[in-house]
Amino acid sequence: MDIEKLKRDHSEIMAQVTQLKKLTQSGIVENADAIARQIVAMSSLIKLHLAAEDRVLYPAFAKSANPDIARTGEAFQRNMGDIAAAYVKFAGNWNIATTLSENPEGFREEANNIFKALHQRIQMENSELYPLAGEV
């Protein structure tokens, strides 16, 4: 299974997280418009990435003759639901500049939590899930 596109998505998602961190560090209120636009752009990428995993990656893992690989895919898919829901909530809360300007510290706290979860998930997929893709 070719997962290079999924790997490129991970790199792009992390690049967008880095850009959001830079904007945040430069001032949430001052960069509220740019932050909101970045969240919307990142949300589109994440939604497309998750759809690709759901349509191609997880079904391939589920069909694996190796039960350990099938279980790993199922566990990753189940865990992703929680992270995806948290990200959707985050993006819905903070994709409007005025909301960011009115509660910059609330945004900072929630952003730190979601970016940490995204980073950990991407690291796990890259190191544990994607290496198994060659065996399905």
Side-chain angles (χ1 to χ4, degrees):
M1 167 179 290
D2 183 15
I3 57 163
E4 291 308 310
K5 168 73 169 94
L6 297 174
K7 289 180 179 180
R8 285 192 304 275
D9 287 350
H10 280 178
S11 294
E12 179 61 27
I13 290 166
M14 292 314 302
Q16 289 191 20
V17 167
T18 298
Q19 180 61 27
L20 272 169
K21 286 180 178 180
K22 287 178 183 177
L23 289 168
T24 298
Q25 291 167 352
S26 296
I28 295 168
V29 174
E30 299 82 356
N31 293 300
D33 287 330
I35 291 170
R37 283 192 306 274
Q38 188 75 22
I39 289 170
V40 170
M42 194 165 108
S43 296
S44 296
L45 175 60
I46 288 173
K47 286 177 187 175
L48 289 172
H49 178 79
L50 293 176
E53 285 183 338
D54 285 344
R55 276 193 327 270
V56 179
L57 185 68
Y58 295 128
F61 271 70
K63 293 176 188 171
S64 175
N66 182 327
D68 291 334
I69 290 176
R71 276 192 295 275
T72 299
E74 181 183 354
F76 268 83
Q77 186 174 24
R78 190 174 45 252
N79 176 263
M80 190 64 232
D82 296 338
I83 296 168
Y87 181 81
V88 167
K89 183 176 184 259
F90 164 80
N93 288 344
W94 303 109
N95 65 359
I96 300 170
T98 53
T99 306
L100 289 158
S101 296
E102 291 169 357
N103 188 2
E105 288 311 310
F107 167 75
R108 185 183 315 277
E109 182 179 333
E110 202 171 327
N112 284 336
N113 291 334
I114 200 68
F115 295 158
K116 181 180 179 182
L118 280 174
H119 177 75
Q120 288 173 339
R121 174 59 186 220
I122 286 171
Q123 295 295 63
M124 285 177 55
E125 285 185 0
N126 287 343
S127 66
E128 296 174 33
L129 184 68
Y130 289 178
L132 295 175
E135 298 179 37
V136 296

